[in-house]
Amino acid sequence: MTINSNDLHLKNSIFGAGLTLEALQTQLDSVSVPYTDVDCRTCPNPCDEGHESYPNKFSVDMESTMFGSVKPYHRQIVISTGKMDWDREITSTKNSLAAHVQHVIHNTPMSVSPSGAEIKSKRVNHVSGVFNSSDSNKLSILNGSHHTISDNPEYETVLVFPDYIMVTEVPRSLDGAKALWDAALAPSVSILPPVHEKGNLSSWIIPYSCVILLCSHKRRDNRCHIAAAQLGQAFTHSLEDHGWTVDTEIEHPLHTMGPPLEKLQGTEAENEECTTRQFQEIASEKRALILRNSHTGGHRYAGNCIIYTPQGSGVWYGRVSTHEVESIVSQTLEEGLVLPPLLRGGMNISRPGCMSLNDW
C-alpha cells in the first residue's frame, strides 16, 4: 500500500501493521526515550503555508511498521565527496575512501556483534530500533556532500558518529583507511574523549550544535533525491526562523575550536574536561550543519533524515515531508524530544533520568 505525497499526514491511530501510537509510546517509555505528543505537522492539510509538496507520483510506504527499521551499529562515518549522488554501491567505487575502509573491515579480525537475544538478556527492557553504540561492532559507511577542508584534494574529511568528531587529512588510500581505522573507527577505540597520541591525522569536535543528514542517493531511489532537495530548503528556513545559523559546508574548526585534539597537552582527566566543555559549548550555539548523504536503507520511507548532536544521540526519522520540518526543529532540535510518528529508531536515545536528549 502506498499513499500520494499530498496526503502525507500521520494519523494518530496507526503506524503500520497495527502499531498504535499508544503502543509505540509505551515502548518508548519502557526504555526512557524522551518524546513529545505534539502534532508532527504544524500546518493544515491541505497546507496553506506555502510548504512545497512532493510530486503526485511520489509514493511512501505507510503500511509496514517503520519503527524498528534501523539496525544497531557501533559507529557511522560520513566521508567528504563534494557530491550529492554516488555510485549505487559506494564501497565498490574504485579508489574511494569508502572502498578502502570497507577493505580494512573485511581484513580486520573483530569479535561478533551481540545478537538481539544477547542484548535483551543484558537489559530489563529492550525495544527493537532503540540501541546503544555498544550493542554492535558494525561500522556504517556513508558518503557526504561536504567538501574536504584539507588543502590537498586527495585528503578527505570524515565525520564520525556518535563520537561527534571530524577527522581531517585522511589520505584517499588503503594506508589512509588503515590510519583512520586505528585512530577513530576500531571498536576498541574509546568513544569519548576522542584524543589520540600520535599520527598524521587531525581531529576536532564537530563545530556545530547538530548535524542533519538527508539521504539524496538518486542512483538508489529517486524519491530520496527529490525529498532531500525539498527538506534541505525547509530545514534551512525553519532553523533560521528560530535564530539558528545554517551551513551546508564545514567551516574549518581551527577558527572556532582551536588546535586539534591530538595537541591537547593535559593529563587524561584534564583533556576529558576540556573536550566535555567543548561539547557543551558547541551544543548551545544554535549552529546547524545540513548534509546530503548516500543510501542509509529504507528509501520506501522517504524522506529520510538522521539527526546527530554533541550529546551523542542519533535520531532516525522517516516519512518526513516539508510539513513536519517545523516540529522537528522546535521539538527535537530545540527541546530534545523525539516525535514518535516519524521515528524509525535511534542510537543512544534511551536516557534514563533525563527529560530531554539535550541533557548531559
Side-chain angles (χ1 to χ4, degrees):
M1 174 183 177
T2 58
I3 66 168
N4 187 281
S5 63
N6 292 326
D7 293 325
L8 272 179
H9 59 288
L10 297 170
K11 298 180 181 297
N12 288 331
S13 58
I14 190 167
F15 299 97
L19 179 64
T20 64
L21 176 59
E22 292 75 14
L24 176 52
Q25 290 175 334
T26 298
Q27 291 187 53
L28 297 180
D29 284 331
S30 71
V31 289
S32 302
V33 175
Y35 67 86
T36 177
D37 57 4
V38 304
D39 289 339
C40 295
R41 180 167 180 152
T42 59
C43 58
N45 186 21
C47 177
D48 61 3
E49 297 183 8
H51 299 145
E52 187 176 6
S53 295
Y54 295 142
N56 288 333
K57 294 184 179 180
F58 189 106
S59 61
V60 177
D61 177 354
M62 296 295 289
E63 183 172 272
S64 65
T65 301
M66 182 174 68
F67 179 64
S69 60
V70 180
K71 296 181 180 180
Y73 55 93
H74 185 65
R75 283 188 171 98
Q76 185 168 73
I77 61 172
V78 187
I79 302 170
S80 59
T81 67
K83 301 177 181 180
M84 296 188 184
D85 193 25
W86 305 268
D87 291 339
R88 181 176 175 83
E89 298 293 341
I90 64 169
T91 55
S92 297
T93 301
K94 189 176 180 180
N95 296 323
S96 68
L97 186 57
H100 291 310
V101 172
Q102 187 64 45
H103 179 84
V104 171
I105 293 173
H106 282 163
N107 290 276
T108 300
M110 286 188 292
S111 59
V112 178
S113 295
S115 66
E118 290 172 329
I119 294 172
K120 289 180 181 179
S121 68
K122 295 179 181 179
R123 300 183 189 169
V124 176
N125 296 303
H126 171 71
V127 172
S128 179
V130 177
F131 57 94
N132 297 325
S133 53
S134 59
D135 291 341
S136 174
N137 288 331
K138 178 185 176 182
L139 176 68
S140 170
I141 305 171
L142 303 179
N143 279 343
S145 58
H146 57 299
H147 290 81
T148 182
I149 64 171
S150 174
D151 293 333
N152 186 335
E154 298 299 315
Y155 287 7
E156 304 290 12
T157 298
V158 182
L159 307 186
V160 183
F161 301 106
D163 309 57
Y164 213 76
I165 64 169
M166 55 186 294
V167 185
T168 66
E169 309 302 325
V170 184
R172 194 184 307 129
S173 65
L174 184 57
D175 285 343
K178 290 178 179 177
L180 177 65
W181 175 265
D182 291 339
L185 305 184
S188 59
V189 175
S190 299
I191 288 185
L192 291 176
V195 179
H196 321 307
E197 296 180 358
K198 298 179 181 179
N200 297 321
L201 309 181
S202 295
S203 305
W204 279 272
I205 290 171
I206 297 172
Y208 293 93
S209 311
C210 71
V211 177
I212 302 172
L213 301 178
L214 303 173
C215 182
S216 67
H217 204 156
K218 185 177 182 179
R219 286 185 175 91
R220 293 300 295 257
D221 196 297
N222 193 46
R223 289 173 294 185
C224 292
H225 173 74
I226 293 171
Q230 292 192 14
L231 293 177
Q233 292 182 355
F235 270 111
T236 297
H237 293 157
S238 180
L239 284 162
E240 289 178 344
D241 286 345
H242 284 263
W244 289 62
T245 299
V246 180
D247 287 345
T248 56
E249 290 288 351
I250 299 174
E251 179 183 1
H252 200 297
L254 185 62
H255 307 307
T256 55
M257 308 299 291
L261 298 172
E262 288 81 2
K263 293 188 177 182
L264 292 177
Q265 298 297 318
T267 65
E268 182 176 347
E270 290 171 339
N271 291 344
E272 183 172 0
E273 181 181 354
C274 177
T275 56
T276 298
R277 183 170 61 253
Q278 288 187 19
F279 278 123
Q280 293 174 341
E281 289 174 353
I282 197 63
S284 65
E285 292 186 3
K286 300 189 77 168
R287 300 182 68 226
L289 177 66
I290 301 178
L291 299 179
R292 312 285 180 90
N293 62 271
S294 58
H295 181 62
T296 55
H299 46 250
R300 66 186 184 276
Y301 300 129
N304 283 293
C305 76
I306 308 171
I307 299 171
Y308 285 108
T309 63
Q311 290 86 347
S313 64
V315 179
W316 287 57
Y317 282 145
R319 296 173 179 155
V320 180
S321 73
T322 57
H323 309 296
E324 288 81 43
V325 166
E326 173 63 23
S327 284
I328 294 175
V329 170
S330 64
Q331 298 300 314
T332 302
L333 294 179
E334 298 212 312
E335 299 298 329
L337 302 175
V338 167
L339 294 162
L342 301 177
L343 188 63
R344 291 186 58 190
M347 165 185 272
N348 300 334
I349 62 174
S350 175
R351 303 292 296 277
C354 295
M355 300 297 293
S356 165
L357 294 178
N358 295 340
D359 293 343
W360 291 92

